[in-house]
């Protein structure tokens, strides 16, 4: 009797181990599959361009082709930085785009977080007289909106801010969905602390600024990260509204390079007319630009992703 | 004494007690401060989401730039005809967006749930950080960058896939000229980018389940698989339902990054017929001077029909299980 129990106990232990192993296997394969595109782009950016033209992009960086003894071409593994060297010969457009994106992202995130959290805080106070109306105004936008054409008309005709920095920042300062997440968080703030401060004569503003905000730093960091993502990766807004080269943000600049060979040659080679253009290692340059456009956000992600995932799992999302 | 007070404040008595509370000096200051604090946020929302609503009327007009929005002639629902196939090919984009989104919802939910269950099994182990990171990082990559990644895979002569095909003796495929492959390509790309988010949300839901249920179940001899079916999934039903209802509300909406950038519609017109959705149509109309009133009609259609669908679906769900409804 006891022996049967032992046997089945061992069986289920082995079954558990096998099951765990299979799950890990599936997850590893999936994780690697998810990373593969990243690896492809990085190694393509440090490959030799003529190797790419002959054989296509590969997962391993490929050096310049050599002719071996049989007279055939060989493609040795190796790193070639020619794409990056080419880009940094004249990086002015790239730097401009970086600057625009950084300015838009920083201003947009800071101002947006500030305005949204103020609104969310007020909405979380049960004694605010206009709470029902304001909440409805915010909630309703989640299920209904007027469409892109009205938005376009508003920005270009009524507000008349197209082709300005403001057009990249203003429309996104307050995002109703984030306001609601923040509001749900503020509702859970410990009342005792706020009451104590109120008894001491603190105004609502001070309650918000000196108590609510510091108590919600993790939540603000998470939403802040959403904002950063939204601004950094925005290519749609500049596509609609921006024409000036000096206001071209990073992702949009990348898109223009893909869409418009003239944009690429005009901004990558800054030589006086009449001089022969050196051959542009186009294939690898495109990949190198991609790496440069994705680099900052990837670094931020790697540093902050533990807060990010934690923020989501700890119920910043519920409701 | 009481009567005197009554006479003195006779005017105030007419107001409701709530309003009276509001107008006391101490409260008014506090509420006014709160109002000022909320004002910028609300003003922004009102401006961008409500002031824009009248402009949607352009969908019902025969818009001429000369006459402006208000001077143009009213034509009722004529501009909506193209969406229903009565004129031209507008129905194609409606069909595309509904089919794609349906596939996205079904696959996204099933795979997201499965992955969340797996991740919950190995949660806390050394590798689990690596899994979550790699599943989640595509969220951080912009669609333009993804279109470059696609280029690296799918370019007809430089792309990795064709490179591999040629080296094993197969014919390379001109991906950017073959619309038939793109429903699969688009779906895979969508899953790659968005699975991380839904998996993490479901994982959060699973982690919130009281572990006592699982302990009791395994003492009773339930297998892991049975535990998943009888504990995990039922606990997640409200969450799944809310997310699905939200997705149904946006079933006519598509991410232009996925449908415009990834197939590079701007240089590959051949792909338009299998990747065109309402949002790409509107995008092209705005950029290339297409007919604004048709694009506006498409936008109104998206919002109105989507809204109706959410209300109906929510009503149905509410009848079955009120916990799972959206509102």
């Amino acid at each position: 009797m006891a022996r049967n129990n032992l046997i089945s106990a061992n069986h289920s232990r082995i079954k558990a181990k096998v099951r765990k192993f299979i799950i890990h296997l599936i997850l590893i394969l999936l994780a690697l599959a998810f990373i593969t595109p990243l690896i492809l782009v990085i190694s393509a950016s440090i490959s030799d361009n003529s190797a790419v033209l002959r054989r296509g992009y590969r997962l391993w960086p490929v050096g310049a082709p050599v002719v071996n003894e049989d007279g055939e071409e060989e493609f040795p593994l190796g790193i070639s930085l020619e794409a990056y060297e080419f880009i940094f010969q004249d990086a002015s457009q790239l730097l401009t785009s970086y600057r625009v994106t950084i300015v838009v992202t920083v201003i947009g995130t800071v101002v947006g977080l500030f305005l949204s959290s103020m609104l969310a805080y007020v909405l979380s106070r049960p004694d605010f007289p206009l709470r029902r109306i304001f909440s409805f105004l915010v909630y309703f936008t989640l299920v209904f909106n007027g469409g892109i054409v009205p938005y376009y008309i508003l920005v270009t005709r009524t507000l008349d801010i197209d082709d300005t920095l403001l057009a990249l920042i203003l429309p996104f300062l307050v995002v109703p969905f984030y306001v609601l997440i923040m509001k749900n968080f503020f509702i859970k703030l410990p009342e005792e602390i706020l009451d104590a401060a109120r008894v001491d004569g603190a105004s609502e503003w001070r309650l918000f600024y000196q108590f609510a905000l510091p108590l919600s730093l993790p939540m603000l960091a998470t939403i802040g990260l959403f904002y950063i993502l939204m601004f950094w990766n925005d290519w749609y807004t500049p596509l609609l509204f921006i024409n000036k080269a000096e206001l071209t943000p990073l992702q949009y600049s990348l898109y223009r390079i893909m869409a418009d060979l003239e944009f690429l040659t005009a901004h990558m080679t800054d030589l006086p007319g009449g001089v022969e253009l050196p051959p542009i290692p186009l294939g690898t340059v495109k990949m190198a630009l991609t790496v440069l456009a994705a680099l900052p956000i990837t670094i931020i992600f790697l540093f902050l992703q533990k807060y990010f995932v934690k923020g989501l799992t700890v119920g910043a999302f519920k409701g | 004494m009481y009567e005197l007070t009554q006479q003195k404040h006779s005017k105030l008595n007419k107001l409701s007690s709530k309003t009276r509370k509001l107008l006391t000096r101490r409260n008014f200051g506090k509420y006014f401060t709160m109002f000022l604090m909320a004002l910028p946020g609300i003003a922004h929302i009102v401006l961008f989401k409500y002031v824009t609503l009248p402009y949607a009327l352009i969908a019902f007009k025969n818009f001429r730039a000369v006459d402006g929005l208000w001077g143009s002639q009213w034509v009722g629902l004529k501009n909506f005809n193209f969406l229903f196939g009565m004129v031209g090919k507008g129905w194609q984009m409606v069909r595309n967006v509904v089919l794609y989104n349906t596939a996205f919802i079904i696959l996204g939910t099933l795979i997201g749930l499965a992955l969340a269950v797996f991740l919950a099994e190995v949660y806390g182990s050394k590798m689990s950080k690596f899994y979550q990171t790699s599943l989640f990082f595509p969220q951080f990559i912009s669609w333009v960058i993804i279109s470059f990644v696609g280029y690296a895979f799918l370019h007809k002569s430089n792309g990795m896939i064709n490179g591999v095909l040629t080296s094993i003796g197969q014919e390379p495929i001109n991906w950017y000229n073959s619309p038939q492959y793109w429903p699969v390509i688009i779906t895979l790309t969508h899953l790659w980018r968005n699975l991380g988010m839904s998996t993490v949300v479901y994982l959060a839901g699973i982690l919130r389940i009281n572990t006592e249920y699982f302990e009791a179940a395994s003492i009773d001899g339930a297998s892991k698989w049975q535990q998943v079916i009888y504990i995990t999934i039922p606990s997640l039903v409200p969450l799944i339902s809310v997310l699905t209802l939200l997705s149904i509300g946006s079933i006519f909406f598509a991410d232009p990054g996925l449908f415009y950038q990834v197939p590079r519609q701007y240089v590959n017109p051949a792909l338009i017929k299998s990747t065109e959705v309402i949002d790409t149509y509107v995008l092209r109309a705005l950029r290339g001077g297409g007919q604004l009133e048709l694009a506006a009609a498409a936008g109104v259609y998206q919002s109105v029909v989507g809204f109706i669908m959410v209300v109906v679906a929510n009503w149905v769900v509410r009848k079955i299980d009120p916990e799972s409804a959206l509102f």
Side-chain angles (χ1 to χ4, degrees), chain A residues 139-158:
Chain A
Y139 272 109
F140 188 66
T141 62
L142 289 184
V143 288
F144 192 80
N145 71 74
I148 310 243
V149 173
Y151 161 69
Y152 182 82
I153 299 178
L154 180 79
V155 171
T156 50
R157 295 293 153 78
T158 319

PDB file of all heavy atoms in Angstrom, chain A residues 139-158:
ATOM      1  N   TYR A 139     -14.896  59.026 -19.925  1.00  0.00           N
ATOM      2  CA  TYR A 139     -15.236  57.646 -20.276  1.00  0.00           C
ATOM      3  C   TYR A 139     -15.803  57.531 -21.687  1.00  0.00           C
ATOM      4  O   TYR A 139     -15.490  56.589 -22.408  1.00  0.00           O
ATOM      5  CB  TYR A 139     -16.301  57.099 -19.307  1.00  0.00           C
ATOM      6  CG  TYR A 139     -15.753  56.465 -18.061  1.00  0.00           C
ATOM      7  CD1 TYR A 139     -15.888  57.084 -16.834  1.00  0.00           C
ATOM      8  CD2 TYR A 139     -15.099  55.238 -18.118  1.00  0.00           C
ATOM      9  CE1 TYR A 139     -15.391  56.501 -15.695  1.00  0.00           C
ATOM     10  CE2 TYR A 139     -14.600  54.655 -16.972  1.00  0.00           C
ATOM     11  CZ  TYR A 139     -14.750  55.295 -15.764  1.00  0.00           C
ATOM     12  OH  TYR A 139     -14.262  54.728 -14.622  1.00  0.00           O
ATOM     13  N   PHE A 140     -16.639  58.484 -22.057  1.00  0.00           N
ATOM     14  CA  PHE A 140     -17.341  58.354 -23.329  1.00  0.00           C
ATOM     15  C   PHE A 140     -16.376  58.305 -24.509  1.00  0.00           C
ATOM     16  O   PHE A 140     -16.615  57.614 -25.500  1.00  0.00           O
ATOM     17  CB  PHE A 140     -18.332  59.513 -23.493  1.00  0.00           C
ATOM     18  CG  PHE A 140     -19.227  59.363 -24.675  1.00  0.00           C
ATOM     19  CD1 PHE A 140     -20.155  58.336 -24.725  1.00  0.00           C
ATOM     20  CD2 PHE A 140     -19.136  60.236 -25.746  1.00  0.00           C
ATOM     21  CE1 PHE A 140     -20.981  58.195 -25.819  1.00  0.00           C
ATOM     22  CE2 PHE A 140     -19.965  60.096 -26.845  1.00  0.00           C
ATOM     23  CZ  PHE A 140     -20.889  59.066 -26.886  1.00  0.00           C
ATOM     24  N   THR A 141     -15.252  59.033 -24.394  1.00  0.00           N
ATOM     25  CA  THR A 141     -14.321  59.045 -25.520  1.00  0.00           C
ATOM     26  C   THR A 141     -13.713  57.678 -25.777  1.00  0.00           C
ATOM     27  O   THR A 141     -13.161  57.437 -26.844  1.00  0.00           O
ATOM     28  CB  THR A 141     -13.171  60.034 -25.261  1.00  0.00           C
ATOM     29  OG1 THR A 141     -12.463  59.599 -24.101  1.00  0.00           O
ATOM     30  CG2 THR A 141     -13.683  61.424 -25.042  1.00  0.00           C
ATOM     31  N   LEU A 142     -13.785  56.781 -24.773  1.00  0.00           N
ATOM     32  CA  LEU A 142     -13.212  55.462 -24.974  1.00  0.00           C
ATOM     33  C   LEU A 142     -14.023  54.638 -25.964  1.00  0.00           C
ATOM     34  O   LEU A 142     -13.502  53.757 -26.614  1.00  0.00           O
ATOM     35  CB  LEU A 142     -13.148  54.693 -23.647  1.00  0.00           C
ATOM     36  CG  LEU A 142     -12.133  55.168 -22.625  1.00  0.00           C
ATOM     37  CD1 LEU A 142     -12.152  54.231 -21.440  1.00  0.00           C
ATOM     38  CD2 LEU A 142     -10.751  55.214 -23.238  1.00  0.00           C
ATOM     39  N   VAL A 143     -15.325  54.914 -26.021  1.00  0.00           N
ATOM     40  CA  VAL A 143     -16.148  54.075 -26.891  1.00  0.00           C
ATOM     41  C   VAL A 143     -16.622  54.819 -28.125  1.00  0.00           C
ATOM     42  O   VAL A 143     -17.212  54.214 -29.009  1.00  0.00           O
ATOM     43  CB  VAL A 143     -17.387  53.513 -26.151  1.00  0.00           C
ATOM     44  CG1 VAL A 143     -16.975  52.459 -25.170  1.00  0.00           C
ATOM     45  CG2 VAL A 143     -18.158  54.621 -25.485  1.00  0.00           C
ATOM     46  N   PHE A 144     -16.355  56.077 -28.218  1.00  0.00           N
ATOM     47  CA  PHE A 144     -16.858  56.806 -29.376  1.00  0.00           C
ATOM     48  C   PHE A 144     -15.946  57.980 -29.683  1.00  0.00           C
ATOM     49  O   PHE A 144     -15.534  58.694 -28.789  1.00  0.00           O
ATOM     50  CB  PHE A 144     -18.275  57.312 -29.075  1.00  0.00           C
ATOM     51  CG  PHE A 144     -18.978  57.818 -30.286  1.00  0.00           C
ATOM     52  CD1 PHE A 144     -19.563  56.936 -31.178  1.00  0.00           C
ATOM     53  CD2 PHE A 144     -19.023  59.178 -30.546  1.00  0.00           C
ATOM     54  CE1 PHE A 144     -20.189  57.405 -32.312  1.00  0.00           C
ATOM     55  CE2 PHE A 144     -19.648  59.655 -31.676  1.00  0.00           C
ATOM     56  CZ  PHE A 144     -20.238  58.768 -32.554  1.00  0.00           C
ATOM     57  N   ASN A 145     -15.637  58.154 -30.952  1.00  0.00           N
ATOM     58  CA  ASN A 145     -14.925  59.379 -31.312  1.00  0.00           C
ATOM     59  C   ASN A 145     -15.269  59.778 -32.747  1.00  0.00           C
ATOM     60  O   ASN A 145     -15.856  59.011 -33.490  1.00  0.00           O
ATOM     61  CB  ASN A 145     -13.418  59.218 -31.137  1.00  0.00           C
ATOM     62  CG  ASN A 145     -12.820  58.308 -32.176  1.00  0.00           C
ATOM     63  OD1 ASN A 145     -12.663  58.655 -33.327  1.00  0.00           O
ATOM     64  ND2 ASN A 145     -12.478  57.119 -31.751  1.00  0.00           N
ATOM     65  N   GLY A 146     -14.880  60.973 -33.127  1.00  0.00           N
ATOM     66  CA  GLY A 146     -15.362  61.523 -34.387  1.00  0.00           C
ATOM     67  C   GLY A 146     -14.595  61.069 -35.611  1.00  0.00           C
ATOM     68  O   GLY A 146     -15.038  61.248 -36.729  1.00  0.00           O
ATOM     69  N   GLY A 147     -13.413  60.494 -35.408  1.00  0.00           N
ATOM     70  CA  GLY A 147     -12.668  60.063 -36.590  1.00  0.00           C
ATOM     71  C   GLY A 147     -11.469  60.945 -36.863  1.00  0.00           C
ATOM     72  O   GLY A 147     -11.257  61.977 -36.248  1.00  0.00           O
ATOM     73  N   ILE A 148     -10.693  60.500 -37.825  1.00  0.00           N
ATOM     74  CA  ILE A 148      -9.420  61.163 -38.100  1.00  0.00           C
ATOM     75  C   ILE A 148      -9.622  62.435 -38.911  1.00  0.00           C
ATOM     76  O   ILE A 148      -8.929  63.424 -38.689  1.00  0.00           O
ATOM     77  CB  ILE A 148      -8.514  60.219 -38.898  1.00  0.00           C
ATOM     78  CG1 ILE A 148      -8.458  58.895 -38.235  1.00  0.00           C
ATOM     79  CG2 ILE A 148      -7.152  60.845 -39.051  1.00  0.00           C
ATOM     80  CD1 ILE A 148      -7.129  58.505 -37.759  1.00  0.00           C
ATOM     81  N   VAL A 149     -10.581  62.422 -39.827  1.00  0.00           N
ATOM     82  CA  VAL A 149     -10.750  63.598 -40.679  1.00  0.00           C
ATOM     83  C   VAL A 149     -11.109  64.834 -39.851  1.00  0.00           C
ATOM     84  O   VAL A 149     -10.491  65.888 -40.039  1.00  0.00           O
ATOM     85  CB  VAL A 149     -11.793  63.328 -41.786  1.00  0.00           C
ATOM     86  CG1 VAL A 149     -12.080  64.591 -42.553  1.00  0.00           C
ATOM     87  CG2 VAL A 149     -11.280  62.262 -42.727  1.00  0.00           C
ATOM     88  N   PRO A 150     -12.071  64.724 -38.919  1.00  0.00           N
ATOM     89  CA  PRO A 150     -12.332  65.898 -38.076  1.00  0.00           C
ATOM     90  C   PRO A 150     -11.102  66.356 -37.302  1.00  0.00           C
ATOM     91  O   PRO A 150     -10.860  67.558 -37.160  1.00  0.00           O
ATOM     92  CB  PRO A 150     -13.436  65.407 -37.128  1.00  0.00           C
ATOM     93  CG  PRO A 150     -14.113  64.320 -37.875  1.00  0.00           C
ATOM     94  CD  PRO A 150     -13.029  63.651 -38.662  1.00  0.00           C
ATOM     95  N   TYR A 151     -10.334  65.414 -36.814  1.00  0.00           N
ATOM     96  CA  TYR A 151      -9.113  65.749 -36.079  1.00  0.00           C
ATOM     97  C   TYR A 151      -8.143  66.499 -36.985  1.00  0.00           C
ATOM     98  O   TYR A 151      -7.547  67.499 -36.603  1.00  0.00           O
ATOM     99  CB  TYR A 151      -8.524  64.439 -35.548  1.00  0.00           C
ATOM    100  CG  TYR A 151      -7.079  64.439 -35.154  1.00  0.00           C
ATOM    101  CD1 TYR A 151      -6.637  65.129 -34.043  1.00  0.00           C
ATOM    102  CD2 TYR A 151      -6.152  63.693 -35.871  1.00  0.00           C
ATOM    103  CE1 TYR A 151      -5.309  65.093 -33.672  1.00  0.00           C
ATOM    104  CE2 TYR A 151      -4.826  63.660 -35.506  1.00  0.00           C
ATOM    105  CZ  TYR A 151      -4.404  64.351 -34.400  1.00  0.00           C
ATOM    106  OH  TYR A 151      -3.089  64.310 -34.044  1.00  0.00           O
ATOM    107  N   TYR A 152      -8.034  66.030 -38.211  1.00  0.00           N
ATOM    108  CA  TYR A 152      -7.149  66.681 -39.166  1.00  0.00           C
ATOM    109  C   TYR A 152      -7.606  68.109 -39.437  1.00  0.00           C
ATOM    110  O   TYR A 152      -6.805  69.038 -39.453  1.00  0.00           O
ATOM    111  CB  TYR A 152      -7.142  65.873 -40.476  1.00  0.00           C
ATOM    112  CG  TYR A 152      -6.235  66.419 -41.531  1.00  0.00           C
ATOM    113  CD1 TYR A 152      -4.876  66.128 -41.523  1.00  0.00           C
ATOM    114  CD2 TYR A 152      -6.731  67.222 -42.553  1.00  0.00           C
ATOM    115  CE1 TYR A 152      -4.035  66.627 -42.492  1.00  0.00           C
ATOM    116  CE2 TYR A 152      -5.893  67.717 -43.528  1.00  0.00           C
ATOM    117  CZ  TYR A 152      -4.546  67.415 -43.497  1.00  0.00           C
ATOM    118  OH  TYR A 152      -3.717  67.904 -44.462  1.00  0.00           O
ATOM    119  N   ILE A 153      -8.913  68.262 -39.634  1.00  0.00           N
ATOM    120  CA  ILE A 153      -9.439  69.599 -39.895  1.00  0.00           C
ATOM    121  C   ILE A 153      -9.195  70.510 -38.696  1.00  0.00           C
ATOM    122  O   ILE A 153      -8.816  71.676 -38.841  1.00  0.00           O
ATOM    123  CB  ILE A 153     -10.953  69.537 -40.212  1.00  0.00           C
ATOM    124  CG1 ILE A 153     -11.184  68.701 -41.455  1.00  0.00           C
ATOM    125  CG2 ILE A 153     -11.518  70.934 -40.396  1.00  0.00           C
ATOM    126  CD1 ILE A 153     -12.640  68.556 -41.813  1.00  0.00           C
ATOM    127  N   LEU A 154      -9.379  69.969 -37.503  1.00  0.00           N
ATOM    128  CA  LEU A 154      -9.154  70.769 -36.298  1.00  0.00           C
ATOM    129  C   LEU A 154      -7.727  71.277 -36.242  1.00  0.00           C
ATOM    130  O   LEU A 154      -7.473  72.464 -36.003  1.00  0.00           O
ATOM    131  CB  LEU A 154      -9.450  69.937 -35.044  1.00  0.00           C
ATOM    132  CG  LEU A 154      -9.245  70.684 -33.736  1.00  0.00           C
ATOM    133  CD1 LEU A 154     -10.433  71.572 -33.472  1.00  0.00           C
ATOM    134  CD2 LEU A 154      -9.041  69.729 -32.575  1.00  0.00           C
ATOM    135  N   VAL A 155      -6.774  70.385 -36.486  1.00  0.00           N
ATOM    136  CA  VAL A 155      -5.375  70.774 -36.333  1.00  0.00           C
ATOM    137  C   VAL A 155      -4.940  71.724 -37.433  1.00  0.00           C
ATOM    138  O   VAL A 155      -4.231  72.699 -37.194  1.00  0.00           O
ATOM    139  CB  VAL A 155      -4.483  69.507 -36.326  1.00  0.00           C
ATOM    140  CG1 VAL A 155      -3.024  69.880 -36.392  1.00  0.00           C
ATOM    141  CG2 VAL A 155      -4.759  68.689 -35.085  1.00  0.00           C
ATOM    142  N   THR A 156      -5.352  71.443 -38.675  1.00  0.00           N
ATOM    143  CA  THR A 156      -4.827  72.269 -39.761  1.00  0.00           C
ATOM    144  C   THR A 156      -5.612  73.550 -39.945  1.00  0.00           C
ATOM    145  O   THR A 156      -5.041  74.587 -40.241  1.00  0.00           O
ATOM    146  CB  THR A 156      -4.838  71.487 -41.081  1.00  0.00           C
ATOM    147  OG1 THR A 156      -6.135  70.920 -41.262  1.00  0.00           O
ATOM    148  CG2 THR A 156      -3.814  70.395 -41.061  1.00  0.00           C
ATOM    149  N   ARG A 157      -6.960  73.479 -39.784  1.00  0.00           N
ATOM    150  CA  ARG A 157      -7.727  74.694 -40.055  1.00  0.00           C
ATOM    151  C   ARG A 157      -7.978  75.490 -38.787  1.00  0.00           C
ATOM    152  O   ARG A 157      -7.579  76.630 -38.660  1.00  0.00           O
ATOM    153  CB  ARG A 157      -9.089  74.331 -40.688  1.00  0.00           C
ATOM    154  CG  ARG A 157      -8.959  73.694 -42.033  1.00  0.00           C
ATOM    155  CD  ARG A 157      -8.395  74.696 -43.053  1.00  0.00           C
ATOM    156  NE  ARG A 157      -7.678  74.031 -44.115  1.00  0.00           N
ATOM    157  CZ  ARG A 157      -8.242  73.412 -45.137  1.00  0.00           C
ATOM    158  NH1 ARG A 157      -9.549  73.369 -45.233  1.00  0.00           N
ATOM    159  NH2 ARG A 157      -7.503  72.837 -46.042  1.00  0.00           N
ATOM    160  N   THR A 158      -8.666  74.880 -37.834  1.00  0.00           N
ATOM    161  CA  THR A 158      -9.091  75.642 -36.663  1.00  0.00           C
ATOM    162  C   THR A 158      -7.908  76.114 -35.832  1.00  0.00           C
ATOM    163  O   THR A 158      -7.777  77.282 -35.507  1.00  0.00           O
ATOM    164  CB  THR A 158      -9.999  74.774 -35.775  1.00  0.00           C
ATOM    165  OG1 THR A 158     -10.865  74.032 -36.590  1.00  0.00           O
ATOM    166  CG2 THR A 158     -10.768  75.633 -34.812  1.00  0.00           C
TER     167      THR A 158
END
